[in-house]
Coordinates of all heavy atoms in Angstrom, one line a residue:
M1 N -2.4 15.3 0.1 CA -3.4 15.8 -0.8 C -3.3 15.3 -2.2 O -4.4 15.1 -2.8 CB -3.3 17.4 -0.8 CG -4.4 18.0 -1.4 SD -6.0 17.8 -0.3 CE -7.0 19.0 -0.9
A2 N -2.2 15.1 -2.7 CA -2.0 14.5 -4.1 C -2.6 13.2 -4.2 O -3.2 12.8 -5.2 CB -0.6 14.6 -4.5
I3 N -2.4 12.4 -3.1 CA -3.0 11.1 -3.0 C -4.4 11.1 -3.2 O -5.1 10.3 -3.9 CB -2.5 10.3 -1.8 CG1 -1.1 10.0 -1.8 CG2 -3.3 9.0 -1.7 CD1 -0.5 9.4 -0.5
R4 N -5.0 12.0 -2.5 CA -6.5 12.1 -2.5 C -7.0 12.5 -3.9 O -8.0 12.0 -4.5 CB -7.0 13.1 -1.5 CG -6.8 12.6 -0.1 CD -7.6 13.4 0.9 NE -7.5 12.8 2.2 CZ -7.2 13.4 3.3 NH1 -6.8 14.7 3.3 NH2 -7.1 12.8 4.4
A5 N -6.3 13.4 -4.6 CA -6.6 13.8 -5.9 C -6.6 12.6 -6.9 O -7.4 12.5 -7.8 CB -5.8 14.9 -6.4
C6 N -5.6 11.7 -6.6 CA -5.5 10.6 -7.6 C -6.4 9.5 -7.3 O -6.9 8.8 -8.2 CB -4.0 10.0 -7.5 SG -2.8 11.2 -8.1
L7 N -6.7 9.3 -6.1 CA -7.5 8.1 -5.6 C -9.0 8.3 -5.5 O -9.8 7.4 -5.5 CB -6.9 7.5 -4.4 CG -5.6 7.0 -4.4 CD1 -5.1 6.5 -3.1 CD2 -5.5 5.8 -5.5
G8 N -9.5 9.6 -5.4 CA -10.9 9.8 -5.3 C -11.2 10.6 -4.1 O -10.5 11.4 -3.6
S9 N -12.5 10.3 -3.5 CA -13.0 11.1 -2.4 C -12.1 11.0 -1.1 O -11.5 10.0 -0.9 CB -14.4 10.6 -2.0 OG -14.4 9.4 -1.4
A10 N -12.1 12.0 -0.3 CA -11.3 12.0 0.9 C -11.7 10.9 1.9 O -10.8 10.2 2.4 CB -11.4 13.4 1.5
A11 N -13.0 10.6 2.0 CA -13.5 9.6 2.9 C -13.0 8.3 2.4 O -12.5 7.5 3.2 CB -15.0 9.7 3.0
G12 N -13.1 8.0 1.1 CA -12.7 6.7 0.7 C -11.2 6.4 0.8 O -10.7 5.4 1.1
V13 N -10.4 7.6 0.5 CA -8.9 7.4 0.6 C -8.6 7.3 2.1 O -7.7 6.4 2.5 CB -8.2 8.7 0.1 CG1 -6.8 8.7 0.4 CG2 -8.5 8.7 -1.5
D14 N -9.2 7.9 3.0 CA -8.9 7.8 4.4 C -9.2 6.4 4.9 O -8.3 5.8 5.6 CB -9.7 8.8 5.3 CG -9.2 10.2 5.1 OD1 -8.0 10.5 4.6 OD2 -9.9 11.1 5.5
D15 N -10.3 5.8 4.4 CA -10.6 4.4 4.8 C -9.5 3.5 4.2 O -9.1 2.5 5.0 CB -12.0 4.0 4.2 CG -13.1 4.7 5.0 OD1 -13.0 5.3 6.1 OD2 -14.2 4.6 4.3
E16 N -9.1 3.7 3.1 CA -8.0 2.9 2.5 C -6.7 2.9 3.1 O -6.1 2.0 3.5 CB -7.9 3.1 1.0 CG -6.9 2.3 0.2 CD -7.3 0.8 0.0 OE1 -8.5 0.5 0.4 OE2 -6.4 0.0 -0.3
I17 N -6.4 4.2 3.4 CA -5.1 4.5 4.2 C -5.2 3.8 5.6 O -4.2 3.1 6.0 CB -4.8 5.9 4.3 CG1 -4.4 6.5 2.9 CG2 -3.6 6.2 5.4 CD1 -4.2 7.9 2.8
N18 N -6.2 3.9 6.3 CA -6.4 3.2 7.6 C -6.3 1.8 7.5 O -5.7 1.1 8.3 CB -7.7 3.7 8.2 CG -7.7 5.1 8.7 OD1 -6.6 5.6 9.0 ND2 -8.8 5.7 8.8
R19 N -6.9 1.2 6.5 CA -6.8 -0.3 6.2 C -5.4 -0.7 6.0 O -4.8 -1.7 6.5 CB -7.6 -0.7 5.1 CG -7.7 -2.3 4.8 CD -8.3 -2.7 3.6 NE -7.6 -2.2 2.5 CZ -6.4 -2.7 2.0 NH1 -5.7 -3.6 2.7 NH2 -5.8 -2.1 1.0
I20 N -4.6 0.1 5.2 CA -3.2 -0.3 4.9 C -2.5 -0.1 6.1 O -1.5 -1.0 6.5 CB -2.7 0.7 3.8 CG1 -3.3 0.4 2.5 CG2 -1.2 0.6 3.7 CD1 -3.2 1.5 1.3
R21 N -2.7 0.8 7.0 CA -2.0 1.0 8.2 C -2.1 -0.2 9.1 O -1.3 -0.7 9.8 CB -2.4 2.3 8.9 CG -1.7 3.5 8.4 CD -2.1 4.7 9.2 NE -1.5 5.9 8.7 CZ -2.1 7.1 8.6 NH1 -3.4 7.2 9.0 NH2 -1.5 8.1 8.0
E22 N -3.4 -0.6 9.2 CA -3.7 -1.8 10.1 C -3.0 -3.1 9.6 O -2.5 -3.8 10.4 CB -5.2 -2.0 10.0 CG -6.1 -1.1 11.0 CD -7.5 -1.4 11.0 OE1 -7.9 -2.5 10.6 OE2 -8.3 -0.4 11.3
E23 N -3.1 -3.3 8.3 CA -2.6 -4.6 7.6 C -1.1 -4.5 7.4 O -0.5 -5.6 7.3 CB -3.3 -4.9 6.4 CG -4.8 -5.2 6.6 CD -5.6 -5.4 5.4 OE1 -5.0 -5.7 4.3 OE2 -6.8 -5.7 5.5
G24 N -0.6 -3.3 7.3 CA 0.9 -3.1 7.0 C 1.3 -3.3 5.6 O 2.5 -3.3 5.3
H25 N 0.4 -3.4 4.7 CA 0.7 -3.5 3.3 C -0.6 -3.1 2.4 O -1.6 -2.9 2.9 CB 1.1 -5.0 2.9 CG -0.1 -5.9 3.0 ND1 -0.6 -6.5 4.1 CD2 -0.9 -6.4 2.0 CE1 -1.6 -7.2 3.9 NE2 -1.9 -7.2 2.6
A26 N -0.3 -2.9 1.2 CA -1.3 -2.6 0.2 C -1.2 -3.6 -0.9 O -0.2 -4.0 -1.3 CB -1.1 -1.1 -0.3
M27 N -2.4 -3.9 -1.5 CA -2.5 -4.7 -2.7 C -3.4 -4.0 -3.8 O -4.3 -3.4 -3.4 CB -3.1 -6.1 -2.4 CG -2.2 -7.0 -1.7 SD -2.7 -8.7 -1.6 CE -4.2 -8.5 -0.5
G28 N -3.0 -4.1 -5.0 CA -3.8 -3.6 -6.1 C -3.2 -4.0 -7.4 O -2.3 -4.6 -7.6
S29 N -3.8 -3.4 -8.4 CA -3.4 -3.6 -9.8 C -2.1 -2.9 -10.1 O -1.8 -1.9 -9.4 CB -4.5 -3.1 -10.8 OG -4.7 -1.8 -10.6
S30 N -1.2 -3.4 -11.0 CA 0.0 -2.7 -11.3 C -0.1 -2.0 -12.6 O -1.1 -2.2 -13.3 CB 1.1 -3.8 -11.3 OG 1.1 -4.4 -12.6
P31 N 0.9 -1.2 -12.9 CA 0.8 -0.6 -14.2 C 1.0 -1.5 -15.4 O 0.8 -1.2 -16.5 CB 1.9 0.5 -14.1 CG 2.5 0.4 -12.8 CD 1.9 -0.7 -12.1
V32 N 1.6 -2.8 -15.0 CA 1.7 -3.8 -16.1 C 0.6 -4.6 -16.2 O 0.1 -5.3 -15.2 CB 2.9 -4.6 -15.6 CG1 3.3 -5.6 -16.8 CG2 4.3 -3.7 -15.4
H33 N 0.0 -4.7 -17.4 CA -1.2 -5.5 -17.6 C -0.9 -7.0 -17.2 O 0.0 -7.6 -17.6 CB -1.7 -5.4 -19.1 CG -2.8 -6.3 -19.4 ND1 -4.1 -6.0 -19.0 CD2 -2.9 -7.5 -20.1 CE1 -4.9 -6.9 -19.4 NE2 -4.3 -7.8 -20.1
G34 N -2.0 -7.6 -16.5 CA -1.8 -9.0 -16.1 C -1.1 -9.2 -14.8 O -0.9 -10.4 -14.4
W35 N -0.7 -8.2 -14.1 CA 0.0 -8.3 -12.9 C -0.6 -7.4 -11.8 O -1.2 -6.4 -12.1 CB 1.5 -7.8 -13.1 CG 2.3 -8.7 -14.1 CD1 2.3 -8.7 -15.4 CD2 3.2 -9.8 -13.7 NE1 3.1 -9.6 -16.0 CE2 3.7 -10.2 -14.9 CE3 3.6 -10.2 -12.5 CZ2 4.6 -11.2 -14.9 CZ3 4.5 -11.3 -12.5 CH2 5.1 -11.8 -13.7
S36 N -0.5 -8.0 -10.6 CA -0.9 -7.2 -9.4 C 0.3 -6.8 -8.6 O 1.4 -7.4 -8.8 CB -1.8 -8.1 -8.6 OG -3.0 -8.4 -9.3
M37 N 0.1 -5.8 -7.7 CA 1.2 -5.4 -6.9 C 0.9 -5.5 -5.4 O -0.2 -5.2 -5.0 CB 1.5 -3.9 -7.3 CG 2.8 -3.4 -6.6 SD 3.4 -1.8 -7.3 CE 2.1 -1.0 -8.1
I38 N 2.0 -5.9 -4.7 CA 1.9 -5.8 -3.2 C 3.0 -4.9 -2.8 O 4.0 -5.0 -3.2 CB 2.1 -7.3 -2.6 CG1 1.1 -8.2 -3.2 CG2 2.1 -7.2 -1.1 CD1 1.4 -9.7 -2.9
A39 N 2.7 -4.0 -1.8 CA 3.6 -3.1 -1.4 C 3.6 -2.9 0.1 O 2.6 -3.1 0.7 CB 3.5 -1.7 -2.1
A40 N 4.8 -2.7 0.7 CA 4.9 -2.4 2.2 C 5.8 -1.3 2.4 O 6.7 -1.1 1.6 CB 5.3 -3.6 2.9
P41 N 5.5 -0.4 3.4 CA 6.4 0.8 3.6 C 7.7 0.5 4.3 O 7.9 -0.5 5.0 CB 5.5 1.6 4.6 CG 4.7 0.6 5.3 CD 4.4 -0.5 4.4
L42 N 8.6 1.3 3.9 CA 10.0 1.3 4.5 C 10.0 2.4 5.5 O 9.6 3.6 5.2 CB 11.2 1.5 3.5 CG 11.2 0.5 2.4 CD1 12.3 1.0 1.5 CD2 11.6 -0.9 3.0
W43 N 10.4 2.1 6.8 CA 10.5 3.1 7.8 C 11.7 3.6 8.2 O 12.7 2.7 8.3 CB 9.8 2.6 9.0 CG 8.3 2.3 8.8 CD1 7.8 1.0 8.5 CD2 7.2 3.1 8.9 NE1 6.4 1.2 8.4 CE2 6.0 2.4 8.7 CE3 7.1 4.5 9.2 CZ2 4.8 3.0 8.6 CZ3 5.8 5.1 9.3 CH2 4.7 4.3 8.9
Y44 N 12.0 4.9 8.3 CA 13.2 5.5 8.9 C 12.8 6.2 10.1 O 12.2 7.2 10.1 CB 13.8 6.4 7.9 CG 15.1 7.0 8.4 CD1 16.2 6.3 8.2 CD2 15.1 8.4 8.8 CE1 17.4 6.8 8.7 CE2 16.4 8.9 9.2 CZ 17.4 8.1 9.2 OH 18.7 8.6 9.5
G45 N 12.8 5.5 11.3 CA 12.3 5.9 12.5 C 10.8 5.9 12.4 O 10.2 4.8 12.1
S46 N 10.1 7.0 12.6 CA 8.6 7.1 12.5 C 8.2 7.6 11.1 O 7.0 7.9 11.0 CB 8.2 7.9 13.6 OG 8.6 9.2 13.6
A47 N 9.1 7.9 10.3 CA 8.7 8.4 8.9 C 8.8 7.4 7.8 O 9.7 6.5 7.8 CB 9.7 9.6 8.6
V48 N 7.9 7.4 6.9 CA 8.0 6.5 5.8 C 9.0 7.0 4.8 O 9.1 8.2 4.4 CB 6.6 6.5 5.0 CG1 6.7 5.6 3.7 CG2 5.6 5.9 5.9
A49 N 10.0 6.1 4.5 CA 11.1 6.5 3.7 C 11.1 5.9 2.3 O 11.8 6.3 1.4 CB 12.4 6.0 4.3
G50 N 10.1 5.1 2.0 CA 9.9 4.6 0.7 C 8.9 3.4 0.8 O 8.2 3.2 1.8
S51 N 9.2 2.4 -0.1 CA 8.3 1.2 -0.1 C 9.0 0.0 -0.8 O 9.9 0.4 -1.7 CB 6.9 1.4 -0.7 OG 7.0 1.6 -2.0
V52 N 8.6 -1.2 -0.5 CA 9.1 -2.4 -1.2 C 7.8 -2.9 -1.9 O 6.8 -2.9 -1.5 CB 9.5 -3.4 -0.3 CG1 9.7 -4.7 -1.0 CG2 10.8 -3.1 0.4
A53 N 8.0 -3.1 -3.3 CA 6.9 -3.6 -4.0 C 7.2 -4.8 -4.8 O 8.4 -5.0 -5.3 CB 6.3 -2.6 -5.0
L54 N 6.3 -5.8 -4.9 CA 6.4 -7.0 -5.7 C 5.3 -7.1 -6.7 O 4.1 -6.9 -6.4 CB 6.3 -8.1 -4.7 CG 6.4 -9.6 -5.3 CD1 7.7 -9.8 -5.9 CD2 6.0 -10.5 -4.3
L55 N 5.7 -7.4 -7.9 CA 4.7 -7.6 -9.0 C 4.4 -9.2 -9.0 O 5.4 -9.9 -9.1 CB 5.2 -7.1 -10.3 CG 5.3 -5.6 -10.5 CD1 5.8 -5.4 -11.9 CD2 4.0 -4.9 -10.2
V56 N 3.2 -9.5 -9.0 CA 2.8 -10.9 -9.0 C 1.7 -11.2 -10.1 O 0.9 -10.3 -10.3 CB 2.2 -11.4 -7.6 CG1 1.8 -12.8 -7.7 CG2 3.1 -11.0 -6.5
G57 N 1.9 -12.1 -10.9 CA 1.0 -12.5 -11.9 C -0.5 -12.7 -11.4 O -0.6 -13.2 -10.2
D58 N -1.5 -12.1 -12.1 CA -2.9 -12.2 -11.6 C -3.3 -13.5 -11.2 O -4.0 -13.8 -10.3 CB -3.8 -11.4 -12.6 CG -3.7 -10.0 -12.7 OD1 -3.1 -9.4 -11.7 OD2 -4.0 -9.3 -13.6
A59 N -2.9 -14.5 -12.1 CA -3.3 -15.9 -11.9 C -2.7 -16.3 -10.5 O -3.5 -17.1 -9.7 CB -2.7 -16.8 -13.0
Q60 N -1.5 -16.0 -10.2 CA -1.0 -16.4 -8.8 C -1.8 -15.7 -7.7 O -1.9 -16.3 -6.6 CB 0.5 -16.1 -8.7 CG 1.3 -17.1 -9.6 CD 1.5 -16.5 -11.0 OE1 1.1 -15.4 -11.4 NE2 2.3 -17.3 -11.9
M61 N -2.1 -14.4 -7.9 CA -2.7 -13.7 -6.9 C -4.2 -14.3 -6.5 O -4.6 -14.0 -5.4 CB -3.0 -12.2 -7.2 CG -1.7 -11.4 -7.2 SD -1.1 -11.2 -5.5 CE -2.2 -10.0 -4.9
K62 N -4.7 -15.1 -7.4 CA -6.0 -15.7 -7.1 C -6.0 -16.7 -6.1 O -6.9 -17.1 -5.4 CB -6.7 -16.3 -8.4 CG -7.1 -15.1 -9.4 CD -7.7 -15.6 -10.6 CE -8.0 -14.5 -11.5 NZ -8.6 -14.9 -12.8
R63 N -4.8 -17.4 -6.0 CA -4.5 -18.5 -5.0 C -4.1 -17.9 -3.6 O -3.2 -17.2 -3.4 CB -3.5 -19.5 -5.5 CG -3.8 -20.2 -6.7 CD -2.9 -21.3 -7.1 NE -1.6 -20.9 -7.5 CZ -1.3 -20.6 -8.8 NH1 -2.2 -20.7 -9.7 NH2 -0.1 -20.2 -9.1
S64 N -5.1 -18.1 -2.7 CA -4.8 -17.5 -1.3 C -3.5 -17.8 -0.7 O -2.9 -17.0 0.0 CB -6.1 -17.8 -0.4 OG -6.1 -19.2 -0.2
V65 N -3.1 -19.1 -0.8 CA -1.8 -19.5 -0.2 C -0.6 -18.7 -0.9 O 0.2 -18.2 -0.1 CB -1.6 -21.1 -0.3 CG1 -0.2 -21.5 0.1 CG2 -2.7 -21.8 0.4
T66 N -0.6 -18.6 -2.1 CA 0.4 -17.9 -2.8 C 0.4 -16.4 -2.5 O 1.5 -15.8 -2.2 CB 0.3 -18.1 -4.4 OG1 0.4 -19.4 -4.7 CG2 1.4 -17.3 -5.1
R67 N -0.8 -15.8 -2.4 CA -1.0 -14.4 -2.1 C -0.5 -14.2 -0.6 O 0.3 -13.3 -0.4 CB -2.5 -14.1 -2.2 CG -2.7 -12.5 -2.0 CD -4.2 -12.2 -2.3 NE -5.1 -12.9 -1.5 CZ -5.9 -13.8 -2.1 NH1 -6.0 -14.0 -3.4 NH2 -6.8 -14.5 -1.3
A68 N -0.8 -15.0 0.3 CA -0.3 -14.9 1.6 C 1.2 -14.9 1.7 O 1.8 -14.2 2.6 CB -1.0 -15.8 2.5
R69 N 1.8 -16.0 1.0 CA 3.2 -16.1 1.0 C 3.9 -14.8 0.4 O 4.9 -14.3 0.9 CB 3.7 -17.3 0.3 CG 3.3 -18.6 1.0 CD 3.6 -19.8 0.2 NE 5.1 -19.9 -0.2 CZ 5.5 -20.7 -1.1 NH1 4.7 -21.4 -1.8 NH2 6.8 -20.7 -1.4
C70 N 3.4 -14.2 -0.6 CA 3.9 -13.1 -1.3 C 3.8 -11.9 -0.3 O 4.7 -11.1 -0.1 CB 3.2 -12.7 -2.5 SG 3.7 -13.9 -3.9
V71 N 2.6 -11.7 0.4 CA 2.4 -10.6 1.3 C 3.5 -10.7 2.5 O 4.1 -9.8 2.8 CB 1.0 -10.6 1.9 CG1 0.9 -9.8 3.1 CG2 0.0 -10.1 0.8
A72 N 3.6 -12.0 3.0 CA 4.6 -12.1 4.1 C 6.0 -11.8 3.6 O 6.8 -11.2 4.3 CB 4.5 -13.6 4.6
A73 N 6.3 -12.2 2.4 CA 7.7 -11.9 1.9 C 8.0 -10.4 1.7 O 9.0 -9.9 2.1 CB 8.0 -12.6 0.5
V74 N 7.0 -9.8 1.3 CA 7.1 -8.3 1.0 C 7.3 -7.6 2.4 O 8.1 -6.7 2.6 CB 5.9 -7.7 0.2 CG1 5.9 -6.2 0.3 CG2 6.0 -8.2 -1.2
M75 N 6.4 -8.0 3.4 CA 6.4 -7.4 4.7 C 7.8 -7.7 5.4 O 8.4 -6.8 6.1 CB 5.2 -7.8 5.5 CG 4.0 -7.1 4.9 SD 2.5 -7.5 5.9 CE 2.8 -6.7 7.3
D76 N 8.2 -8.9 5.3 CA 9.6 -9.3 5.9 C 10.7 -8.4 5.3 O 11.6 -8.0 6.0 CB 9.8 -10.8 5.7 CG 8.9 -11.7 6.5 OD1 8.3 -11.2 7.4 OD2 8.9 -12.9 6.3
A77 N 10.7 -8.4 3.9 CA 11.8 -7.5 3.3 C 11.7 -6.1 3.7 O 12.8 -5.5 4.0 CB 11.6 -7.6 1.7
A78 N 10.5 -5.5 3.8 CA 10.4 -4.2 4.2 C 10.9 -4.1 5.7 O 11.5 -3.0 6.0 CB 8.9 -3.7 4.1
A79 N 10.5 -5.0 6.5 CA 10.9 -4.9 7.9 C 12.5 -4.9 8.0 O 13.1 -4.2 8.8 CB 10.3 -6.0 8.8
A80 N 13.0 -5.9 7.2 CA 14.5 -6.0 7.2 C 15.2 -4.7 6.8 O 16.2 -4.3 7.3 CB 15.0 -7.2 6.4
I81 N 14.7 -4.1 5.7 CA 15.3 -2.9 5.1 C 15.1 -1.8 6.2 O 16.0 -1.0 6.3 CB 14.8 -2.6 3.7 CG1 15.2 -3.7 2.8 CG2 15.2 -1.2 3.2 CD1 14.4 -3.6 1.5
S82 N 13.9 -1.6 6.7 CA 13.7 -0.6 7.7 C 14.6 -0.7 8.9 O 15.1 0.3 9.4 CB 12.2 -0.8 8.2 OG 11.3 -0.4 7.1
R83 N 14.9 -1.9 9.4 CA 15.9 -2.1 10.4 C 17.2 -1.6 10.0 O 17.9 -0.9 10.7 CB 15.9 -3.5 10.9 CG 14.8 -4.0 11.7 CD 15.0 -5.4 12.3 NE 15.2 -6.4 11.4 CZ 14.2 -7.1 10.9 NH1 12.9 -6.8 11.2 NH2 14.5 -8.0 10.0
R84 N 17.6 -2.0 8.8 CA 18.9 -1.4 8.3 C 19.0 0.1 8.1 O 20.0 0.7 8.4 CB 19.2 -2.1 6.9 CG 19.4 -3.6 7.0 CD 20.8 -4.1 7.2 NE 21.9 -3.4 6.6 CZ 22.7 -3.9 5.8 NH1 22.6 -5.2 5.4 NH2 23.7 -3.2 5.4
L85 N 17.9 0.6 7.7 CA 17.8 2.2 7.6 C 18.0 2.8 8.9 O 18.7 3.8 9.1 CB 16.5 2.5 6.9 CG 16.3 2.4 5.5 CD1 14.9 2.7 5.1 CD2 17.3 3.2 4.6
S86 N 17.3 2.3 9.9 CA 17.4 2.8 11.2 C 18.8 2.7 11.9 O 19.3 3.6 12.5 CB 16.4 2.2 12.1 OG 15.1 2.5 11.6
R87 N 19.5 1.6 11.6 CA 20.8 1.4 12.2 C 21.9 2.1 11.4 O 23.0 2.4 11.9 CB 21.2 -0.1 12.1 CG 20.5 -0.9 13.2 CD 21.1 -2.3 13.3 NE 21.2 -2.8 12.0 CZ 20.7 -4.0 11.7 NH1 19.9 -4.7 12.5 NH2 20.8 -4.5 10.5
S88 N 21.6 2.5 10.1 CA 22.7 3.0 9.3 C 22.8 4.5 9.3 O 23.6 5.1 8.6 CB 22.4 2.5 7.8 OG 21.3 3.2 7.3
S89 N 22.0 5.2 10.2 CA 22.0 6.7 10.1 C 23.4 7.2 10.4 O 23.7 8.3 10.0 CB 20.9 7.2 11.1 OG 21.2 6.8 12.5
A90 N 24.2 6.6 11.2 CA 25.5 7.1 11.5 C 26.5 7.0 10.3 O 27.4 7.8 10.3 CB 26.2 6.3 12.7
R91 N 26.2 6.2 9.4 CA 27.0 6.0 8.2 C 26.5 6.8 7.0 O 27.2 6.7 6.0 CB 27.1 4.5 7.7 CG 27.7 3.6 8.7 CD 27.9 2.2 8.3 NE 26.7 1.7 7.7 CZ 26.1 0.6 8.1 NH1 26.5 0.0 9.2 NH2 24.9 0.2 7.7
R92 N 25.6 7.7 7.2 CA 25.0 8.4 6.0 C 26.0 9.3 5.6 O 26.7 10.0 6.4 CB 23.7 9.1 6.5 CG 22.5 8.4 6.1 CD 21.2 9.3 6.2 NE 21.4 10.6 6.6 CZ 20.5 11.3 7.4 NH1 19.5 10.7 7.9 NH2 20.8 12.5 7.8
V93 N 26.0 9.6 4.3 CA 27.0 10.6 3.7 C 26.1 11.9 3.4 O 25.0 11.8 2.9 CB 27.5 10.1 2.4 CG1 28.4 11.1 1.6 CG2 28.3 8.8 2.6
N94 N 26.6 13.0 3.8 CA 25.8 14.3 3.6 C 26.1 14.8 2.3 O 27.0 14.8 1.7 CB 26.2 15.3 4.7 CG 25.7 14.8 6.1 OD1 24.7 14.1 6.1 ND2 26.4 15.2 7.1

């Protein structure tokens, strides 16, 4: 519900969330002027445990090859961390 309050109408947010689920990542402006952000979820089993984000200069984001390489790197990093999270549950400290 808080996401919807920040992002706008429920229908628009649902469409955006569905697109992110399909693509496995999100792209958008960052809080830092002149930079864009690419993010992918970290999974702990079937639950989202966090995210990996990369800030990329807006000029670089305009180049499709660079953008695709950055998206792939973020998704690869998120997948690797997610695998480690899933395997490390036995070592967790309470």
Side-chain angles (χ1 to χ4, degrees):
M1 193 66 163
I3 291 173
R4 288 190 176 133
C6 292
L7 295 178
S9 72
V13 171
D14 288 340
D15 289 345
E16 182 68 9
I17 289 172
N18 288 333
R19 185 192 61 72
I20 292 167
R21 283 185 181 138
E22 282 180 25
E23 295 180 6
H25 70 279
M27 287 191 293
S29 59
S30 84
V32 181
H33 179 72
W35 294 81
S36 296
M37 187 165 26
I38 302 168
L42 298 175
W43 296 95
Y44 184 75
S46 61
V48 174
S51 66
V52 170
L54 174 67
L55 294 179
V56 182
D58 288 341
Q60 289 89 2
M61 284 293 283
K62 291 179 182 176
R63 294 192 290 271
S64 61
V65 172
T66 302
R67 186 173 54 249
R69 289 175 60 197
C70 290
V71 166
V74 169
M75 291 181 69
D76 288 349
I81 294 169
S82 294
R83 285 190 297 274
R84 298 269 323 239
L85 285 173
S86 295
R87 285 194 309 241
S88 68
S89 61
R91 294 189 308 242
R92 264 194 1 218
V93 177
N94 291 329

